[in-house]
Amino acid sequence: MRKALSVASECAPLIKTGGLADVAGALPAAMKAEGWQLRTLLPGYPAVMAAVKRGHVVWEEPDLMGGPARVVAGKASKLDILALDAPHLFDRKGAIYLGPDGRDWPDNPERFAALSWIAARLAIDGVENWKPEVVHLHDWQAGLVPVYLRDMAGNDAPGTLLTIHNIAFHGHAPAERLTSLRLPASGFHPGGFEYYGRINALKAGLVYADKLSTVSPTYAEQLLLPEFGMGLDGVLRSRRADLTGILNGIDTTVWNPAEDPLVTAYKSPKRKTANKAALQLEFELPGSKGPLAVVVSRLTEQKGLDLLLEALPAFLRRGGQLALLGAGDDVLERAWLAAAAEYDSVGVRIGYDEALSHRLIAGGDAIVVPSRFEPCGLTQLYGLRYGTIPVVALTGGLADTVISANDAGLKAGVATGLQFHPVTASALTGALLRLCDLYEDTQVWQRMQRKAMRHPVDWASSAPRYAALYEALGNAE
Ligand code: ADP
Ligand code: GLC
């Protein structure tokens, strides 16, 4: 087996705030099938340290950005974990990126620079005779790795691939922290990791990693545009030749309607009814002739759920219903709770609840994902697999994974969902009303459901594409 080190700030099922965790958690198994052994370096948050409590220490560092640190190797949930045990950085209660005041931890630059510095050290020196050929970095939290690698080993460093899951977060730090973050001053210029006078960890990765990828082909194109590049589109255009879009897959053992222990399992979409009835009961929704749409999402600007609030009245008038599970921005949480109080046909749960997310995906007729931008998106993939028709914005990975029920799509019998464009409340309203029309035509609806359930959503086609990138990096040495 060839060896790769994956460096991420979250990894399912150990610690998760979003899809990045799912992908970091799924890659090792997917890549094993391609002949690559992945070990995953994670921050030693309490949940991670608990998961590797039977592990053993493979590295010690007397002073890592303000305190002692060690790396503990252990197996957890079939994953080969290297946990960076640095209590001064990671042993904290609460959210992994945010302090109790709801703002980023002030030392986030140090926390993830420490993770990146250790990643570089381990990659160069190896761990108990295990030395990676490739280092796979995820998002800004691992962005500094290629800078440290160059600094420590020059051209002898292993190849690096940076995957962009979310370009909205850059990992900024003031220039004064250069020394405390162990960064070479020689890289602090506009062609390096400087960004308008500050250190920018994501930009560091975009400039210095050998290859770049993002999580869908459409988003790889969109990232080159000012509209989506979030200030880094220029850097990305300069690296266009090294940037690829590789679609995310989902874990089809966890998300399998035929064997899901969290719902009434089903093979045929006709058998979804028990789940729908249970969901209506759970959310106290009245019986209705229209479709039950569901949402499972972070409540942030990205996800466009304010547009869905605007589109609701017209959808409800047509007999539609909505059940939402989400957490995030205060304003959005309050607005959704107010909608639930106003309309009988709207049910809302604020919080993070894995089991409830399965009941929603299984019980819904449709799943709505009205994102303003979406690198890939996973919940529309769950929807497809469960015969829960996705209604999605035509953007990023949503554009690549759903086949629209426009006239051509329906005629050819290939449609799996609905796409709307532009991403506005009125276009979304149009899509929801069309959903109601399609739902009334049982034959068309069931055909779409069957087609959706057969759409490939696993890692089978994406893993070989990552393997090809790893291969190119490994050989480049
Ligand atoms: P993002 O990573 O931008 O949040 P994705 O669609 O890629 O979007 O991944 C989100 C993941 O988090 C999915 O697995 C989704 O089911 C899960 N998720 C989001 N919000 C919740 C919630 N409130 N409760 C349970 N799971 C959630
Ligand atoms: C990000 C994106 C999401 C993607 C996930 C996993 O959080 O917002 O679209 O599916 O990463 O790659």
Side-chain angles (χ1 to χ4, degrees):
M1 291 279 261
R2 300 179 71 177
K3 302 178 183 73
L5 176 67
S6 170
V7 186
S9 56
E10 43 185 284
C11 181
L14 310 185
I15 181 88
K16 165 168 168 178
T17 71
L20 162 62
D22 293 287
V23 175
L27 269 177
M31 296 313 292
K32 190 172 174 190
E34 301 297 319
W36 284 86
Q37 185 206 6
L38 261 65
R39 295 181 90 172
T40 308
L41 176 69
L42 294 174
Y45 313 116
V48 172
M49 292 320 299
V52 296
K53 63 176 183 291
R54 283 181 208 188
H56 59 284
V57 175
V58 293
W59 191 272
E60 283 188 281
E61 200 63 38
D63 179 19
L64 184 65
M65 312 215 177
R70 21 182 240 159
V71 176
V72 177
K75 278 251 180 207
S77 306
K78 296 194 185 150
L79 296 164
D80 235 321
I81 301 295
L82 295 167
L84 175 57
D85 184 21
H88 62 295
L89 300 172
F90 302 120
D91 187 12
R92 299 178 187 179
K93 289 210 170 67
I96 57 179
Y97 310 123
L98 309 176
D101 57 359
R103 291 157 157 249
D104 285 353
W105 292 106
D107 61 347
N108 273 352
E110 283 75 15
R111 297 171 79 219
F112 297 104
L115 180 76
S116 301
W117 191 89
I118 281 289
R121 202 62 274 166
L122 297 182
I124 291 167
D125 293 354
V127 178
E128 297 173 323
N129 291 326
W130 186 93
K131 229 172 139 174
E133 277 180 72
V134 171
V135 190
H136 190 165
L137 317 167
H138 300 277
D139 274 353
W140 77 265
Q141 291 90 343
L144 295 174
V145 174
V147 179
Y148 296 131
L149 278 174
R150 269 172 195 240
D151 209 32
M152 293 174 190
N155 290 336
D156 293 335
T160 47
L161 164 66
L162 172 73
T163 298
I164 305 160
H165 298 267
N166 203 329
I167 201 156
F169 303 104
H170 291 188
H172 281 289
E176 301 79 71
R177 310 256 271 265
L178 264 180
T179 317
S180 67
L181 296 176
R182 303 186 180 178
L183 289 168
S186 58
F188 190 70
H189 59 86
F193 52 77
E194 183 212 344
Y195 186 78
Y196 294 101
R198 292 170 70 84
I199 298 160
N200 183 315
L202 182 61
K203 186 179 172 195
L206 299 181
V207 171
Y208 294 108
D210 298 311
K211 296 262 178 212
L212 305 175
S213 75
T214 189
V215 289
S216 69
T218 293
Y219 193 63
E221 295 288 321
Q222 289 177 317
L223 276 177
L224 305 176
L225 309 170
E227 202 184 332
F228 291 97
M230 309 243 180
L232 292 171
D233 45 290
V235 181
L236 282 159
R237 282 195 297 277
S238 74
R239 301 249 13 226
R240 188 183 216 136
D242 293 314
L243 172 67
T244 341
I246 304 179
L247 267 185
N248 287 335
I250 58 171
D251 186 334
T252 47
T253 58
V254 174
W255 292 96
N256 178 4
E259 282 171 23
D260 188 336
L262 299 168
V263 305
T264 305
Y266 57 91
K267 286 205 171 90
S268 152
K270 286 187 198 149
R271 308 285 299 276
K272 278 171 71 75
T273 38
N275 291 301
K276 179 172 179 179
L279 200 58
Q280 285 173 318
L281 204 62
E282 183 170 1
F283 279 78
E284 293 177 39
L285 302 172
S288 165
K289 285 218 168 82
L292 168 57
V294 299
V295 172
V296 177
S297 184
R298 291 186 290 120
L299 299 180
T300 63
E301 160 91 12
Q302 172 188 348
K303 301 295 177 177
L305 293 162
D306 50 316
L307 305 175
L308 182 55
L309 278 169
E310 278 185 63
L312 264 187
F315 177 56
L316 302 180
R317 274 197 300 274
R318 279 290 305 271
Q321 301 188 313
L322 193 105
L324 172 141
L325 167 65
D329 297 350
D330 277 356
V331 178
L332 278 169
E333 288 186 357
R334 278 200 298 272
W336 275 100
L337 287 171
E342 184 176 351
Y343 305 111
D344 288 344
S345 300
V346 176
V348 170
R349 295 287 182 278
I350 299 298
Y352 187 92
D353 187 335
E354 201 83 36
L356 178 55
S357 74
H358 281 248
R359 297 200 292 281
L360 281 158
I361 306 277
D365 294 304
I367 178 157
V368 189
V369 193
S371 308
R372 293 191 163 86
F373 68 94
E374 196 61 78
C376 180
L378 298 177
T379 62
Q380 85 281 9
L381 301 179
Y382 306 153
L384 288 171
R385 182 125 166 94
Y386 279 64
T388 306
I389 299 303
V391 180
V392 303
L394 184 64
T395 190
L398 302 173
D400 293 336
T401 50
V402 174
I403 302 170
S404 200
N406 49 28
D407 289 343
L410 284 176
K411 212 176 261 168
V414 294
T416 58
L418 285 159
Q419 291 175 323
F420 63 93
H421 181 78
V423 191
T424 58
S426 74
L428 172 56
T429 307
L432 289 171
L433 297 183
R434 184 155 165 78
L435 180 81
C436 294
D437 292 339
L438 292 171
Y439 185 71
E440 276 169 15
D441 189 334
T442 311
Q443 220 182 339
V444 170
W445 184 263
Q446 288 180 354
R447 185 173 185 191
M448 250 167 65
Q449 286 183 307
R450 285 193 300 271
K451 204 75 201 165
M453 290 177 82
R454 282 199 295 267
H455 188 89
V457 289
D458 60 13
W459 283 93
S461 60
S462 295
R465 301 201 54 208
Y466 277 114
L469 278 182
Y470 284 13
E471 181 83 27
L473 289 168
N475 288 343
E477 267 186 73

